[in-house]
Amino acid sequence: MAVNCGSKCFAYVCEWGAHQVTRVDLASGEKVGVGAISSPSGCAVDAAAGYAYAVQQVRPPPSARPSQRSDSRRRARQGERDGQLLRIPLTPSGERLVMAKALVAPMGVAVGGGYVYVGERGANRVRRIRLSDGQGAAEVWAAGFNSPIGLAAC
């Protein structure tokens, strides 16, 4: 979840069960879907730029046979690269952009200092992508963690 307070305060929630990023008005509680996403596992907001950043696991849909879901979990444990980082506009008129592919079980996103950071639980590291590049190399920024699942930038 990420919070943005400009003229109004909103929380942005990655809803795994609803497969979307949802904006919640903190004053009224009104919810609006901002962008569809497959199996989200973290999001962050850059209100000044007008984007949410979210990671998703690219895996079989919930309707898939149990053996397919188990196979997807096994592949993540073995380090297969099936996650993505998305840039999602906070307004309904924009299109989302895949900023990074081939992430190993991404969990957690933070944005700050001109970068977006992604924790790769399956590879025990954090990658970063320069925001000015849009779609660029997701360089390894820090490694040697034990299953990183949450990030925050200050």
Side-chain angles (χ1 to χ4, degrees), residues 11-137:
Y12 293 85
V13 180
C14 286
E15 292 191 80
W16 187 82
H19 302 285
Q20 70 178 6
V21 176
T22 301
R23 182 183 72 199
V24 181
D25 185 313
L26 294 180
S28 70
E30 178 185 4
K31 297 189 299 184
V32 175
V34 174
I37 185 169
S38 172
S39 299
S41 56
C43 63
V45 172
D46 183 349
Y51 293 107
Y53 299 90
V55 288
Q56 69 178 358
Q57 314 293 321
V58 181
R59 58 174 66 156
S63 61
R65 294 189 328 261
S67 62
Q68 288 175 305
R69 289 193 306 269
S70 297
D71 185 55
S72 179
R73 286 190 292 271
R74 178 194 52 75
R75 288 191 333 261
R77 284 192 306 271
Q78 292 174 352
E80 288 197 22
R81 301 167 180 264
D82 62 354
Q84 296 177 338
L85 169 68
L86 302 175
R87 184 183 75 186
I88 302 167
L90 298 179
T91 60
S93 60
E95 285 195 33
R96 70 185 196 169
L97 171 71
V98 177
M99 293 185 70
K101 296 179 181 180
L103 300 172
V104 182
M107 296 282 285
V109 181
V111 62
Y115 291 91
V116 61
Y117 299 86
V118 178
E120 285 184 291
R121 184 177 183 200
N124 296 320
R125 62 187 175 203
V126 175
R127 290 184 172 264
R128 71 178 183 179
I129 297 99
R130 187 182 312 270
L131 291 173
S132 61
D133 294 345
Q135 290 174 293

